[in-house]
Amino acid sequence: MPDPILSIRNLKIEATVYPPDAPPHDVVIVDGVSLDLQKGKVLGLIGESGAGKSTIGLSAMSYGRGGVRLTGGEVMLNGREIRLANAKALRSLRGREVTYVAQSAAAAFNPALTLMDQVVEATLRHGLATRSEAEARAVKLFRKLGLPDPDNIGKRYPHQVSGGQLQRVMTAMALCPEPSLVVFDEPTTALDVTTQIDVLAAIKEAIHDTGVAALYITHDLAVVAQVSDDIMVLRNGKTVETGVVRQIIDDPHEDYTRALVSVRSIDHEEKAKAEPVLRVDGVTARYSGTSFDVLSDINVDLAPGQTLAVVGESGSGKSTLARVITGLLPPRAGSIHFNGRDLTPDLKSRTKTDLRELQMIYQMADVAMNPRQTVGTIIGRPLEFYFGLRGEAKRKRVQELLDQIEMGKGYIDRYPAELSGGQKQRVCIARALAAKPRLIICDEVTSALDPLVADGILRLLLELQAQENVAYLFITHDLATVKAIADSIAVMFKGKVVRYGSKSEVLAPPFDDYTDLLLSSVPEMRLGWLEEAIAGRRMASAGN
Amino acid sequence: MVHPIIRLVVQRIALGLLLLLAVSILIFGGTQLLPGDVAQAILGQSATQQALANLREQMGLNDPALVRYWNWLWGILHGDLGTALTNGHDIATDLGKRFANTLFLAFWAAAISVPLAIILGLVAARYAGRWPDKLISGITLATISLPEFVVGYIAMYLLAVKFRLLPSVSMIFDGMTLGAKLHAIMLPVLVLVLVVLAHMMRMTRAAILNVMQSAYVETAELKGISPGRVIWRHALPNAIAPVVNVVMLNLAYLVVGVVVVEVVFVYPGMGQYLVDHVAKRDLPVVQACGMVFAAVYIGLNILADVISILANPRLRHPK
């Protein structure tokens, strides 16, 4: 076997943390990780947030974000030790031998420079080609990656192209200097599911055609299964197991890997239709100062104790629908019936009961809580406001709610910063529940969470629904979540509901074009899915 | 479709003109509130009632305030700033010469301080937290912390009195060569540079360091780009807007706020002119100076806005 392009031995990575109530100290982020990567191979690094996968990826460039330091072990790139290399040596290999594709291309491109200037920058600065050669290379890569108008797209600025296109331009930027290794750090995570599949296919083809070695970092096992040869599962900075893709998916050796593979196994029987608690009747809405409707003629309803999943891509109007129902954005036409009465269009004129019975949970639990209030104060606020509870009675009720969200004793006097992401979201659920609502609007509540944690939150929501008979309007872009919890589904596209009905109806063929596209874009955890899905699409578009 | 930039720029300019109109009302109204009137000021406390009445009639002071305001504004729009009470000179002619002198001083102070402040800011950002940063920050903060007249007298004592390198009085007049003029104003320019340097340098440093946190700077570092080029090529273009705003505030100060420095060095600029006539209660001159200062201030701030707009690629290249 030839020498590997990248060889990491017993890597140890540490960072200094500054906790509020303790002196600064070092923590170990990555411990004892070893890997080898051969030319033309793709190694997938998978794990939850905090597993150290991005940190390991960047160690291949001998780079530590913030105060992160590579403190032990050996990182060999093309046969040279780089962990201890000096700044000048590192500059000469970064952008030449190893390049990086970041998660959010929108943030990773300089807004003040054209795409072409940025794509060829590394190639030019390292003296690998003349400007015209480099630009020719870039255009060739743009074409290979399926970008529209490859000859001229380089003249544009980052804000002038879409997110999916930007991610492909970033891939072209990484491949332009013809490196021997590319680090892909969650390159499709920020994209819509229908965009992700195209970018994924383009990246896979580009890796294959150029014969570059790649580290592919993601939290989504189904995605990494499509592009990798081998997979390394990481947890808390340690290797759980490493193997070829087929073995990891079909025959995982470790319990943790098995949990990752089988995540989203919730089986939820859809409930029968009933008299609705919420009816959205012909709602049309637009934001002030714009000239197009963000929502047009939306008609959906939701029965007590049931879940309506509103699904669609970013910009489809799902969150706007939530804003209209809560009264934050009065509609231009249509009305909202809730609990047997008409809701006034604007928030100010709603009664206290209206406000109490309609609660909301947000995607970012972090920013939905006051960081200077304790969990007890946060959950106690609606108890005080709606029910006038004070003192011991309030504290007792807060503890009951904490028990309901399975957080038990010891959390009531903690601050949000001391909680994990999943715990924060649980506190937000308890706060919503404290008002004894009839309806909770859940806006992408699991999107920011790791799969296993999200799974726990979904289970909790279903349990609470059974106990309290509360209805959920569940906004999400994730079809797996929809399948797990919905009783009925509304598929939104460009401000319209394109498909609506019970879960079994919506998810059964024949599909309309958009729902078909959406469903066929959800990565499946099996080999060859990507090729099948792409081939299926080509056939569909050839038929049109 | 009009390009959005043109629309924004036109909006800013219209807003500036409106603001200037509001300022003219304030200046006129403010001087009306002062006790006594121009006739009293000219003739003094011992004037007879008849003399006052005659002069008031002659100067149109008996007209309603609105009419007088209109006449005053109409005059300004035609370049007529009125006549000084104390010496009967045409204000526009006198003020024009003084304003040119002030601009001369401000120009040289700006020509030195703005590039110097930005370069020092970039160097401080490049070596943030290390000794060049601390040295630059320390010196500039020290000079801004001292009142300008203290800096002025210290500089005068050292450079003019002790070592006799520069003249302590900055008189300039028509017929001097450029070289002689520059030699004359060196001390006040030095003092002004020291006074405005810190503000602009700190803002440049802060704006650059703020941009250095962004993901695209990390992208540039991971391309192996050298730190100097990262700052120059990737950070600076995105830090222009805040820096320009502070630069313009300081330029406005160089024109409007140099009264103290002009008095210290007996420089024949607008500040001196204003101070002299305030002391003599020469209201038309005070009003005229007020309008010129306001116009400069508003004009420079509009310029800052326009440059910030032009520096934004999202506005320059709409989708």
Side-chain angles (χ1 to χ4, degrees):
Chain A
M1 200 182 255
D3 281 341
I5 297 229
L6 176 71
S7 169
I8 293 178
R9 286 287 162 272
N10 283 319
L11 182 63
K12 185 174 182 184
I13 301 177
E14 290 178 273
T16 310
V17 292
Y18 301 88
D21 50 355
H25 58 273
D26 289 349
V27 292
V28 177
I29 302 178
V30 171
D31 194 13
V33 169
S34 301
L35 59 87
D36 283 311
L37 187 56
Q38 297 290 337
K39 184 176 187 314
K41 291 287 181 187
V42 180
L43 172 66
L45 296 180
I46 181 153
E48 302 182 13
S49 54
K53 41 191 201 305
S54 286
T55 313
I56 294 171
L58 286 169
S59 75
M61 312 181 83
S62 195
Y63 183 85
R65 254 185 203 140
V68 169
R69 301 181 309 278
L70 282 58
T71 49
E74 191 177 62
V75 181
M76 304 280 285
L77 180 72
N78 289 325
R80 270 174 297 126
E81 177 7 85
I82 63 166
R83 183 175 74 82
L84 297 168
N86 64 25
K88 190 154 173 275
L90 288 178
R91 273 207 296 279
S92 80
L93 67 92
R94 288 176 188 158
R96 190 211 320 247
E97 290 175 41
V98 51
T99 56
Y100 181 71
V101 177
Q103 171 169 359
S104 168
F109 273 102
N110 190 331
L113 304 175
T114 63
L115 294 174
M116 183 58 89
D117 278 346
Q118 303 186 58
V119 168
V120 299
E121 188 180 21
T123 312
L124 294 181
R125 299 313 295 178
H126 291 295
L128 301 172
T130 66
R131 179 146 196 124
S132 58
E133 284 165 9
E135 289 191 0
R137 262 194 218 178
V139 169
K140 221 167 125 189
L141 285 165
F142 292 157
R143 188 165 285 125
K144 195 197 293 275
L145 287 157
L147 283 161
D149 194 12
D151 292 317
N152 296 310
I153 196 168
K155 292 176 195 146
R156 306 185 132 223
Y157 283 82
H159 69 271
Q160 293 175 307
V161 303
S162 73
Q165 289 169 359
L166 214 49
Q167 205 70 51
R168 282 183 247 192
V169 176
M170 182 125 204
T171 306
M173 183 159 89
L175 293 171
C176 191
E178 299 179 344
S180 42
L181 172 68
V182 181
V183 179
F184 290 93
D185 194 352
E186 306 248 15
T188 63
T189 305
L191 302 176
D192 276 320
V193 65
T194 51
T195 316
Q196 162 171 293
I197 179 171
D198 291 327
V199 175
L200 214 51
I203 288 177
K204 184 173 184 178
E205 206 178 310
I207 291 175
H208 184 259
D209 290 358
T210 53
V212 68
L215 279 178
Y216 196 101
I217 297 158
T218 175
H219 67 277
D220 189 338
L221 195 50
V223 164
V224 81
Q226 307 309 319
V227 293
S228 303
D229 300 296
D230 300 296
I231 291 179
M232 172 180 274
V233 182
L234 294 157
R235 189 183 195 190
N236 299 331
K238 292 194 172 69
T239 308
V240 175
E241 69 174 301
T242 311
V244 296
V245 174
R246 186 173 294 283
Q247 179 253 310
I248 295 287
I249 293 176
D250 295 343
D251 180 25
H253 295 169
E254 300 294 324
D255 289 344
Y256 179 70
T257 315
R258 258 190 290 273
L260 279 182
V261 172
S262 64
V263 75
R264 300 292 163 82
S265 53
I266 299 172
D267 210 15
H268 175 63
E269 285 286 313
E270 81 179 55
K271 299 186 197 79
K273 255 200 149 348
E275 196 56 30
V277 63
L278 172 78
R279 204 172 83 236
V280 177
D281 202 359
V283 160
T284 298
R286 71 170 60 164
Y287 287 103
S288 61
T290 60
S291 55
F292 61 93
D293 291 329
V294 193
L295 294 177
S296 50
D297 196 25
I298 305 290
N299 294 287
V300 289
D301 55 32
L302 172 58
Q306 299 199 4
T307 302
L308 167 65
V310 179
V311 53
E313 301 181 4
S314 50
S316 61
K318 342 183 262 301
S319 291
T320 308
L321 180 60
R323 290 177 66 87
V324 171
I325 295 171
T326 51
L328 289 170
L329 178 71
R332 300 177 68 217
S335 55
I336 293 155
H337 310 274
F338 179 59
N339 221 0
R341 54 187 190 265
D342 277 1
L343 282 184
T344 57
D346 66 311
L347 191 62
K348 271 187 194 147
S349 51
R350 290 193 181 175
T351 65
K352 206 164 175 176
T353 313
D354 288 337
L355 298 178
R356 180 180 66 75
E357 293 189 332
L358 208 169
Q359 294 290 315
M360 233 181 132
I361 314 173
Y362 303 89
Q363 175 172 1
M364 294 295 184
D366 269 358
V367 292
M369 290 189 283
N370 186 335
R372 294 192 178 274
Q373 291 182 345
T374 62
V375 168
T377 316
I378 290 168
I379 302 178
R381 176 68 190 141
L383 296 174
E384 211 176 289
F385 182 70
Y386 293 119
F387 306 110
L389 289 187
R390 311 224 174 258
E392 202 45 46
K394 183 172 87 177
R395 203 172 161 85
K396 195 161 153 268
R397 178 79 185 115
V398 169
Q399 189 55 55
E400 279 172 28
L401 285 160
L402 282 173
D403 290 340
Q404 265 189 304
I405 56 165
E406 296 156 14
M407 279 175 61
K409 297 227 180 318
Y411 286 101
I412 196 163
D413 292 319
R414 294 227 199 156
Y415 288 91
E418 300 170 78
L419 306 177
S420 70
Q423 287 172 334
K424 283 180 203 162
Q425 198 55 286
R426 280 168 194 257
V427 170
C428 288
I429 292 171
R431 176 174 60 181
L433 220 53
K436 290 194 188 292
R438 301 288 315 270
L439 169 67
I440 299 180
I441 297 177
C442 306
D443 192 353
E444 302 269 13
V445 290
T446 56
S447 308
L449 301 173
D450 286 314
L452 289 174
V453 179
D455 202 51
I457 295 284
L458 293 179
R459 282 174 202 277
L460 174 70
L461 283 171
L462 286 174
E463 264 170 48
L464 294 172
Q465 185 168 56
Q467 287 167 22
E468 310 278 335
N469 200 36
V470 57
Y472 297 138
L473 184 86
F474 203 96
I475 294 167
T476 181
H477 67 277
D478 180 13
L479 281 157
T481 307
V482 171
K483 286 176 189 161
I485 63 153
D487 298 296
S488 52
I489 300 175
V491 180
M492 290 193 66
F493 181 58
K494 292 188 174 166
K496 291 193 177 69
V497 172
V498 292
R499 194 174 171 88
Y500 171 62
S502 69
K503 178 165 72 171
S504 51
E505 287 164 13
V506 168
L507 296 182
F511 296 118
D512 59 288
D513 289 351
Y514 180 69
T515 308
D516 190 32
L517 179 71
L518 202 59
L519 289 173
S520 67
S521 301
V522 179
E524 289 172 27
M525 212 176 289
R526 58 189 169 81
L527 291 177
W529 165 80
L530 182 62
E531 285 72 18
E532 281 172 35
I534 291 287
R537 270 193 198 192
R538 294 223 174 96
M539 267 163 64
S541 59
N544 284 342
Chain B
M1 255 299 272
V2 187
H3 198 285
I5 289 231
I6 295 174
R7 212 178 58 226
L8 276 169
V9 169
V10 169
Q11 254 174 20
R12 285 294 188 287
I13 292 173
L15 213 62
L17 291 176
L18 208 67
L19 202 58
L20 203 53
L21 192 71
V23 169
S24 75
I25 294 172
L26 275 179
I27 288 178
F28 188 82
T31 49
Q32 294 305 305
L33 289 176
L34 295 175
D37 64 0
V38 177
Q40 186 87 59
I42 293 174
L43 298 177
Q45 295 291 336
S46 55
T48 62
Q49 287 301 317
Q50 186 56 43
L52 280 173
N54 287 344
L55 189 59
R56 282 190 183 126
E57 184 63 36
Q58 193 189 332
M59 296 180 74
L61 292 181
N62 293 327
D63 294 336
L66 208 61
V67 173
R68 281 181 286 132
Y69 169 69
W70 178 249
N71 289 337
W72 176 66
L73 192 67
W74 190 250
I76 291 178
L77 290 177
H78 291 79
D80 174 15
L81 296 174
T83 315
L85 300 176
T86 39
N87 53 14
H89 288 186
D90 179 42
I91 297 178
T93 318
D94 277 8
L95 197 142
K97 275 188 217 142
R98 296 299 194 106
F99 190 51
N101 286 346
T102 291
L103 286 184
F104 183 69
L105 183 61
F107 171 81
W108 287 103
I112 295 171
S113 63
V114 173
L116 187 64
I118 289 175
I119 289 168
L120 287 178
L122 292 178
V123 172
R126 164 70 179 84
Y127 298 99
R130 299 178 19 207
W131 69 263
D133 178 27
K134 288 178 179 156
L135 185 71
I136 293 170
S137 294
I139 291 175
T140 52
L141 284 178
T143 60
I144 202 180
S145 305
L146 288 174
E148 58 239 62
F149 63 86
V150 175
V151 179
Y153 286 127
I154 292 176
M156 200 188 286
Y157 173 73
L158 288 177
L159 295 173
V161 179
K162 195 102 176 157
F163 299 110
R164 299 181 177 278
L165 296 172
L166 296 167
S168 65
V169 175
S170 307
M171 290 301 292
I172 62 169
F173 43 83
D174 294 342
M176 275 171 92
T177 62
L178 182 65
K181 279 186 182 176
L182 287 180
H183 186 249
I185 63 165
M186 249 190 235
L187 261 184
V189 164
L190 175 72
V191 172
L192 287 174
V193 167
L194 288 177
V195 169
V196 296
L197 202 56
H199 197 189
M200 293 188 283
M201 170 264 156
R202 296 290 295 178
M203 195 62 199
T204 307
R205 176 183 179 276
I208 294 280
L209 286 182
N210 187 30
V211 175
M212 293 297 279
Q213 304 292 322
S214 30
Y216 55 81
V217 167
E218 185 185 85
T219 306
E221 282 170 11
L222 290 177
K223 283 176 181 174
I225 310 294
S226 64
R229 190 179 152 88
V230 168
I231 288 180
W232 182 253
R233 180 104 171 112
H234 289 273
L236 187 59
N238 291 292
I240 283 177
V243 173
V244 162
N245 271 295
V246 168
V247 166
M248 289 303 167
L249 279 178
N250 282 286
L251 292 188
Y253 166 81
L254 285 179
V255 177
V256 175
V258 294
V259 178
V260 176
V261 174
E262 286 185 2
V263 172
V264 167
F265 292 99
V266 206
Y267 182 78
M270 253 181 89
Q272 275 265 317
Y273 185 63
L274 177 63
V275 170
D276 288 350
H277 289 82
V278 166
K280 295 172 191 160
R281 297 194 46 159
D282 195 336
L283 286 187
V285 175
V286 175
Q287 286 176 336
C289 287
M291 281 308 289
V292 172
F293 284 154
V296 168
Y297 211 87
I298 291 171
L300 285 172
N301 276 292
I302 290 175
L303 191 62
D305 271 8
V306 170
I307 294 177
S308 302
I309 290 169
L310 291 178
N312 185 342
R314 281 167 199 277
L315 295 174
R316 213 166 56 231
H317 307 274
K319 286 199 178 193

